[in-house]
């Protein structure tokens, strides 16, 4: 075990895309709202904006995919241990987390989903697909859900949800932007409250 007890969790962020949620977490840490440092960023896309954001802020950034490693999950686990990561934060990570990684970080892998769960979750429900489904359902509100990750898409224990009204004339794109702003305000607060002081991973 690391020689640390009840300190803020060391975070790794896994992101497949531009990394706006990653940036919101970095900003929250830098202004002192989020005590947990981000020590590692991993992406499965070589040109992901998240990698550039990490590098700009001096955070270790790694591209890991089947193009780089025969067993990407093993490589990710190796990097997490190398950087003494306590909590894995998914921020637009478009890949199922392997059971070996879940077993190693049980209860310490967190995801943010852009709509209420379980109604608007499951395989294939990401990005604009989610917001199209919300609009097609005719619901009055949507909003991000933060949950722990288990072996099934979007079925882990929910930690928080905030409502975002669906407005007349909304398109998937306008709804996505409004929900994203709510994500940026919610994610760091949940990470602070859940993992601001924890026992380190053995």
């Amino acid at each position: 075990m690391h020689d640390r007890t009840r300190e803020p969790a060391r975070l790794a962020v896994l992101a497949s895309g531009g990394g706006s949620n990653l940036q919101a977490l970095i900003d929250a840490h830098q202004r002192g709202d989020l005590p947990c440092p981000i020590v590692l960023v991993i992406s499965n896309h070589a040109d992901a904006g998240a990698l550039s954001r990490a590098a700009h802020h001096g955070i270790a950034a790694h591209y890991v995919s089947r193009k780089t490693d025969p067993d990407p999950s093993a490589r990710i686990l190796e990097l997490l241990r190398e950087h003494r990561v306590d909590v894995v934060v998914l921020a637009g990570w478009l890949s199922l987390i392997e059971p070996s990684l879940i077993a190693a970080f049980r209860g310490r892998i967190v995801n943010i989903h852009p709509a209420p769960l379980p109604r608007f979750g499951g395989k294939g429900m990401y990005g604009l697909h989610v917001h199209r489904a919300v609009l097609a359902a005719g619901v009055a509100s949507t909003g991000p859900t933060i949950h722990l990750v288990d072996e099934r898409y979007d079925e882990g224990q929910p930690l928080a949800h905030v409502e975002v009204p669906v407005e007349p004339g909304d398109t998937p794109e306008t709804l996505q932007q409004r929900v994203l702003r709510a994500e940026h305000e919610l994610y760091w607060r949940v990470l602070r409250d859940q993992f601001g002081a924890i026992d380190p991973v053995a």
Side-chain angles (χ1 to χ4, degrees):
M1 180 176 285
H2 316 325
D3 58 348
R4 301 179 293 122
T5 57
R6 307 305 296 173
E7 292 186 3
R10 292 166 60 87
L11 307 181
V13 176
L14 275 56
S16 298
S20 70
N21 263 310
L22 166 64
Q23 188 65 56
L25 296 179
I26 292 171
D27 293 346
H29 179 67
Q30 288 186 339
R31 67 177 179 259
D33 288 333
L34 175 63
C36 309
I38 300 165
V39 299
L40 174 67
V41 172
I42 297 173
S43 182
N44 52 359
H45 292 163
D47 59 351
L51 294 176
S52 300
R53 291 179 192 268
H56 177 74
H57 290 280
I59 300 169
H62 292 266
Y63 163 52
V64 180
S65 76
R66 295 199 179 278
K67 294 181 180 179
T68 65
D69 293 271
D71 188 344
S73 290
R75 175 58 178 154
I76 289 172
L77 191 53
E78 179 183 28
L79 287 167
L80 295 175
R81 287 172 172 157
E82 178 184 322
H83 290 272
R84 297 184 294 119
V85 168
D86 298 307
V87 173
V88 179
V89 178
L90 308 186
W93 179 257
L94 303 181
S95 181
L96 187 66
I97 299 297
E98 293 293 332
S100 59
L101 188 54
I102 292 172
F105 285 85
R106 178 77 60 182
R108 297 194 184 202
I109 305 177
V110 189
N111 183 48
I112 189 163
H113 185 78
L117 293 175
R119 182 171 183 181
F120 297 106
K123 189 173 182 179
M125 291 293 278
Y126 62 90
L128 288 175
H129 298 293
V130 177
H131 303 295
R132 290 189 187 105
V134 166
L135 292 175
V139 294
S141 68
T142 180
T145 303
I146 297 175
H147 64 97
L148 296 178
V149 173
D150 62 15
E151 290 80 0
R152 297 173 180 269
Y153 278 112
D154 301 330
E155 292 188 16
Q157 175 189 339
L159 299 177
H161 168 73
V162 63
E163 288 196 357
V164 174
V166 177
E167 297 179 356
D170 259 335
T171 65
E173 291 79 9
T174 60
L175 189 57
Q176 181 184 53
Q177 288 305 308
R178 210 159 57 255
V179 169
L180 197 57
R181 288 194 291 272
E183 290 180 30
H184 294 169
E185 282 300 310
L186 181 64
Y187 216 174
W188 68 263
R189 296 175 190 273
V190 173
L191 293 171
R192 176 199 62 192
D193 295 346
Q194 292 286 326
F195 304 110
I198 65 166
D199 293 317
V201 172

